[in-house]
C-alpha cells in the first residue's frame, strides 16, 4: 500500500472515531478510545495488510470479491501480466517525483522537530535528582512490575511526568508538596498507570504517525485527541483505584498542579497538560462501567480494528490494481504503485522489491537497457514493489521471470 | 547568577573538592545521584557556558568561578525579593518565629543581629 492510501484509510477511521468520541467520551470506559486510536495507528503505520480472515469480511462484499479466499489454493500460472497501457508522459512523472520529494521533506522536518524537542527535554530530565522520600519508596516497593522504576525531582519541570519505556522514571516538580501523602499517591498511581500501559511508547508511535502523515489534518486531530485520551484513561484508573469518593480530591489536586503549567514536551507523559477542563469533567463523571458500556466498547474496538486491518486494505488493493476484474481469477498478479513507470524514453535505475506480509523483502537493482549512466547528472531511481496477491512468495523461476520482463521492457505500469 | 538544582549539585562537588577532573565529578555524581557520565558532562558544559565554572586541558579539570557564598547570596536575595518584597528584616523575623529552631541556633542568630547593629 502506498502512503496516500494508508493516509486515506486512516482518515476514514479517524473520521469514524471522532464523532463516537465526542458523543461517548464521558460514557464509555476511557481506554476504549486509546484502543481505537491504536487500531487507527496500525492502519497508518503498517504498509501491508493482513489477508482477510474467514468470516470477518463477509460484510464487505466488495472486498470479498477482490480477494477470493480460494485464490491462495489455486495454481500459479502466468507470473507476468504485460500491460500495454501507454506510459505516462514525462511531466506526470516529474509531478510524481516532486510529490514524493515534498512528502519526504515534510516527514524529515517533522521528525527532526519532534526529535529535537524530545532530546532537549530529555537532557533536562536526565539531570533530575533522586527523590528520597520514605513514603514514595514504600509505595514503590508495593508495586509489582518487572521494570524497575526510579523516582526523581527537578526544578525544571512544573508538573509531574514520566519518561522512559524500559527504564521508566517518574519525576516530580520540586515545588510539589512531598508531605501531602494523598496527593503523592494520586500522582504515583497516575504515572504508574502510564508506565504499566507503555504510554510513552504509544506517544512515540503517535508522533511517528504525525511525521509520516504530516499532510493529513485528520492525523493531527488524532494526535491531539489520542494524547488527551491517554491522560483520561490514566485519570480513570486513579478513580477506580481510590473509589468514587476520591473524585473531588483528585480533581482538586489536578487543578492545583495545573496552576503551574509545563512547557511543550511531545514524547513524555505529562500529568497535567491536556485540556484540563475535559479531564476534570471526565473525572467527576466517572462511573462504574455498565455491562452495556463494556459490551459496546468491546464491539467498537473489535470492529474498528478488524476493519482497519482488512477491509480498508482490500479496498486499497482494488484501487491500486485498477481493472483487475477482467483477468484470470485467482492468478497472482502484481501490485505496482501507480506512480511508477518503466521503459519510457528516459533511462531509469530500477529497484524491484518483493513485499510480503511480514517477511523480509528481497530486492534486485539494475539499470534499464539503453540508459547511459555516464552521461546522466543524477540517476532517477524507482522502487517497484511486487507481490503475489495470494500472500505467498515468488518461486525463484517466477522472480527471475519478473526481472527479465522488466529489463526487457515487457512489464509496463498502468497509469 | 541563577543556578538550577542539577547545576548546584556539580558546584557542590567543586566547592568541596576544589579543582576536579570532569571524569572524577562524573564518578562522584554517579554515586550520589545516579547520573550517567553524559548527563554530568552536559551540566558541566552548561555551568561553563554560564561562567559559573571553567574547564581546562588536560583532563578537563574543572574549577569553580563562583563561590558557595556568592551562590547562596543570590538565592537569598531572590527569596527576599520574591517572598518578602525585598524586606530582609521580615525574613529574619520569620526565621526567628519558626518553632523548629534550637535554642543554640536562636542564640547564634541573635548574636549575628547584634553584631550587625
Amino acid at each position: 500500500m502506498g502512503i496516500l492510501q494508508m493516509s486515506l484509510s486512516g482518515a476514514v477511521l479517524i473520521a469514524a472515531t471522532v464523532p463516537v468520541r465526542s458523543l461517548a467520551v464521558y460514557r464509555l470506559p476511557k481506554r476504549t478510545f486509546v484502543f481505537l486510536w491504536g487500531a487507527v495507528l496500525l492502519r497508518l503505520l503498517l504498509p501491508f495488510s493482513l489477508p482477510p480472515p474467514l468470516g470477518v469480511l463477509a460484510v464487505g462484499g466488495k472486498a470479498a470479491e477482490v480477494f477470493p479466499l480460494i485464490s491462495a489454493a489455486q495454481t500459479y500460472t502466468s507470473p507476468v501480466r504485460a500491460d500495454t497501457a501507454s506510459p505516462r508522459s514525462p511531466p506526470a512523472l516529474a509531478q510524481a517525483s516532486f510529490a514524493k520529494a515534498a512528502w519526504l521533506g515534510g516527514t524529515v522536518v517533522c521528525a527532526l522537530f519532534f526529535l529535537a524537542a524530545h532530546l532537549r527535554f530529555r537532557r533536562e530530565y536526565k539531570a533530575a535528582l533522586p527523590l528520597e522520600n520514605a513514603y514514595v519508596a514504600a509505595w514503590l516497593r508495593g508495586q509489582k512490575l518487572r521494570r524497575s522504576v526510579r523516582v526523581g525531582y527537578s526544578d525544571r519541570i512544573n508538573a509531574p511526568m514520566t519518561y522512559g519505556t524500559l527504564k521508566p522514571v517518574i519525576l516530580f516538580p520540586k515545588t510539589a508538596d512531598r508531605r501531602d501523602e494523598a496527593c503523592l499517591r494520586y500522582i504515583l498511581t497516575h504515572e504508574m498507570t502510564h508506565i504499566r500501559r507503555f504510554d510513552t511508547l504509544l506517544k512515540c508511535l503517535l508522533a511517528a504517525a504525525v511525521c509520516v502523515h504530516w499532510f493529513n489534518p485528520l492525523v493531527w486531530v488524532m494526535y491531539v485527541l489520542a494524547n488527551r485520551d491517554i491522560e483520561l484513561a490514566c485519570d480513570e484508573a486513579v478513580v477506580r483505584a481510590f473509589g468514587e469518593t476520591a473524585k473531588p480530591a483528585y480533581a482538586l489536586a489536578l487543578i492545583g498542579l495545573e496552576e503551574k503549567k509545563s512547557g511543550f514536551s511531545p514524547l513524555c507523559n505529562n500529568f497535567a497538560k491536556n485540556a484540563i477542563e475535559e479531564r476534570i469533567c471526565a473525572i467527576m463523571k466517572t462511573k462504574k462501567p455498565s455491562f452495556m458500556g463494556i459490551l459496546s466498547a468491546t464491539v467498537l474496538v473489535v470492529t474498528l480494528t478488524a476493519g482497519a486491518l482488512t477491509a480498508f486494505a482490500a479496498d486499497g488493493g482494488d484501487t491500486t490494481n485498477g481493472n483487475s476484474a477482467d483477468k484470470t481469477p485467482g492468478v497472482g498478479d502484481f501490485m505496482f504503485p501507480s506512480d511508477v513507470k518503466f521503459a519510457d524514453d528516459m533511462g531509469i535505475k530500477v529497484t524491484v522489491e518483493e513485499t510480503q506480509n511480514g517477511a523480509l523483502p528481497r530486492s534486485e537493482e539494475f539499470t534499464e537497457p539503453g540508459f547511459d549512466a555516464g552521461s546522466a547528472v543524477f540517476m532517477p531511481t524507482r522502487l517497484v514493489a511486487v507481490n503475489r496477491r495470494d500472500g505467498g512468495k515468488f518461486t525463484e523461476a517466477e522472480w527471475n521471470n519478473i526481472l527479465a520482463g522488466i529489463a526487457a521492457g515487457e512489464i509496463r505500469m498502468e497509469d | 547568577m541563577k543556578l538550577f538544582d542539577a547545576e548546584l549539585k556539580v558546584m557542590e562537588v567543586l566547592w568541596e573538592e576544589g579543582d576536579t577532573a570532569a571524569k572524577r565529578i562524573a564518578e562522584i555524581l554517579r554515586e550520589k545521584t545516579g547520573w550517567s557520565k553524559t548527563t554530568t558532562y552536559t551540566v558541566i558544559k552548561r555551568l561553563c557556558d554560564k561562567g559559573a565554572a571553567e574547564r581546562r586541558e588536560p583532563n578537563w579539570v574543572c574549577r569553580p568561578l563562583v563561590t558557595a557564598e556568592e551562590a547562596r547570596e543570590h538565592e537569598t536575595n531572590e527569596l527576599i525579593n520574591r517572598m518578602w518584597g525585598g524586606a530582609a528584616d521580615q525574613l529574619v523575623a520569620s526565621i526567628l518565629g519558626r518553632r523548629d529552631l534550637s535554642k543554640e541556633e536562636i542564640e547564634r542568630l541573635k548574636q549575628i543581629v547584634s553584631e550587625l547593629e
Side-chain angles (χ1 to χ4, degrees):
Chain A
M1 300 184 95
I3 283 293
L4 215 59
Q5 206 133 48
M6 287 153 68
S7 215
L8 217 68
S9 344
V12 172
L13 290 174
I14 296 168
T17 310
V18 169
V20 175
R21 184 191 185 273
S22 47
L23 284 176
V25 70
Y26 297 137
R27 300 211 182 100
L28 292 179
K30 305 294 175 294
R31 263 192 115 181
T32 314
F33 303 105
V34 179
F35 282 122
L36 289 180
W37 297 126
V40 178
L41 267 183
L42 286 178
R43 181 61 286 143
L44 286 171
L45 292 176
L46 293 182
F48 54 82
S49 42
L50 303 173
L54 298 163
V56 169
L57 269 186
V59 274
K62 193 178 175 194
E65 251 174 61
V66 180
F67 262 97
L69 290 170
I70 42 159
S71 75
Q74 288 190 346
T75 44
Y76 189 82
T77 51
S78 146
V80 168
R81 174 163 54 100
D83 271 308
T84 45
S86 60
R88 256 201 256 177
S89 57
L93 186 71
Q95 239 170 35
S97 45
F98 173 76
K100 211 173 224 174
W103 167 71
L104 206 67
T107 303
V108 169
V109 167
C110 250
L112 284 179
F113 169 73
F114 274 105
L115 207 68
H118 176 63
L119 289 180
R120 214 181 66 225
F121 279 97
R122 198 177 171 85
R123 220 169 31 220
E124 213 62 78
Y125 304 150
K126 286 261 179 189
L129 300 167
L131 182 75
E132 275 138 22
N133 178 301
Y135 179 78
V136 172
W139 189 89
L140 272 183
R141 271 197 300 277
Q143 298 295 309
K144 285 194 192 87
L145 194 79
R146 281 211 192 137
R147 293 164 284 160
S148 68
V149 178
R150 284 182 301 146
V151 180
Y153 75 92
S154 167
D155 55 350
R156 305 302 302 270
I157 58 170
N158 296 318
M161 52 159 289
T162 298
Y163 76 92
T165 301
L166 293 176
K167 286 185 273 176
V169 181
I170 298 173
L171 288 187
F172 281 83
K174 193 188 184 184
T175 47
D177 185 359
R178 291 173 216 167
R179 284 166 303 181
D180 186 349
E181 290 186 358
C183 186
L184 283 181
R185 213 166 50 203
Y186 294 145
I187 294 171
L188 285 168
T189 307
H190 178 104
E191 299 301 335
M192 200 52 143
T193 313
H194 277 312
I195 293 170
R196 281 186 203 287
R197 294 178 179 175
F198 291 95
D199 284 341
T200 311
L201 199 65
L202 183 61
K203 288 192 174 200
C204 280
L205 292 177
L206 284 169
V210 164
C211 290
V212 174
H213 300 278
W214 56 269
F215 53 87
N216 188 338
L218 280 174
V219 175
W220 289 90
V221 169
M222 172 193 76
Y223 180 78
V224 172
L225 291 181
N227 271 303
R228 279 201 216 168
D229 287 337
I230 289 170
E231 295 306 321
L232 293 184
C234 284
D235 288 341
E236 189 179 56
V238 173
V239 173
R240 291 272 155 74
F242 295 104
E244 302 212 358
T245 46
K247 285 195 296 197
Y250 180 53
L252 284 174
L254 214 56
I255 293 167
L257 288 164
E258 183 65 15
E259 284 171 355
K260 320 147 197 158
K261 246 190 166 176
S262 74
F264 175 71
S265 56
L267 297 185
C268 292
N269 293 310
N270 257 344
F271 188 67
K273 192 174 73 178
N274 301 317
I276 186 71
E277 220 181 288
E278 186 181 51
R279 286 184 68 182
I280 301 294
C281 289
I283 290 165
M284 295 312 289
K285 288 181 185 174
T286 301
K287 285 197 190 77
K288 219 168 168 248
S290 63
F291 174 74
M292 276 314 286
I294 293 174
L295 189 73
S296 48
T298 314
V299 169
L300 247 171
V301 170
V302 170
T303 318
L304 199 82
T305 311
L309 286 177
T310 54
F312 285 96
D315 276 344
D318 188 32
T319 43
T320 342
N321 227 29
N323 41 3
S324 56
D326 56 346
K327 289 191 301 80
T328 335
V331 169
D333 59 343
F334 309 116
M335 280 177 16
F336 293 114
S338 55
D339 57 335
V340 178
K341 182 177 75 73
F342 297 106
D344 66 341
D345 18 21
M346 195 177 158
I348 284 174
K349 192 171 132 200
V350 185
T351 304
V352 186
E353 194 176 88
E354 182 186 8
T355 53
Q356 261 194 108
N357 300 340
L360 278 175
R362 66 174 155 181
S363 66
E364 186 94 8
E365 202 174 280
F366 56 88
T367 313
E368 278 191 50
F371 181 57
D372 180 9
S375 68
V377 183
F378 74 100
M379 193 181 273
T381 305
R382 294 272 162 264
L383 181 73
V384 182
V386 294
N387 63 4
R388 273 171 72 146
R389 292 305 301 277
D390 59 6
K393 198 170 160 62
F394 288 119
T395 67
E396 210 54 45
E398 285 162 5
W399 179 247
N400 289 333
N401 222 340
I402 294 164
L403 296 181
I406 293 169
E410 281 164 14
I411 304 181
R412 282 159 181 272
M413 292 309 306
E414 47 190 6
D415 265 320
Chain B
M1 178 187 318
K2 168 84 186 153
L3 292 175
F4 290 107
D5 281 4
E7 295 161 352
L8 271 175
K9 222 48 182 185
V10 171
M11 290 307 284
E12 273 168 22
V13 174
L14 292 180
W15 290 329
E16 256 170 51
E17 314 254 321
D19 296 10
T20 315
K23 202 174 153 215
R24 174 84 190 116
I25 302 177
E27 281 165 13
I28 295 173
L29 288 176
R30 179 189 293 276
E31 279 287 301
K32 273 192 189 168
T33 64
W35 284 357
S36 70
K37 202 157 72 177
T38 332
T39 301
T40 307
Y41 288 2
T42 314
V43 179
I44 291 175
K45 184 172 178 304
R46 209 178 290 156
L47 282 171
C48 294
D49 292 345
K50 274 188 175 179
E54 63 174 3
R55 295 184 288 200
R56 284 214 192 126
E57 288 281 23
N59 296 331
W60 290 117
V61 173
C62 300
R63 210 171 63 149
L65 296 179
V66 176
T67 62
E69 285 69 35
E70 281 166 342
R72 279 174 201 147
E73 196 180 294
H74 172 86
E75 280 297 313
T76 315
N77 283 340
E78 205 167 71
L79 185 70
I80 293 171
N81 287 331
R82 203 174 58 222
M83 303 304 295
W84 281 275
D89 55 333
Q90 287 182 39
L91 168 64
V92 175
S94 147
I95 292 173
L96 288 174
R98 269 169 65 162
R99 292 202 186 136
D100 52 0
L101 282 180
S102 68
K103 265 209 176 100
E104 292 80 42
E105 279 174 323
I106 293 174
E107 275 314 307
R108 231 181 61 217
L109 282 170
K110 281 183 178 161
Q111 204 186 325
I112 292 171
V113 172
S114 60
E115 270 170 23
L116 287 173
E117 263 174 358

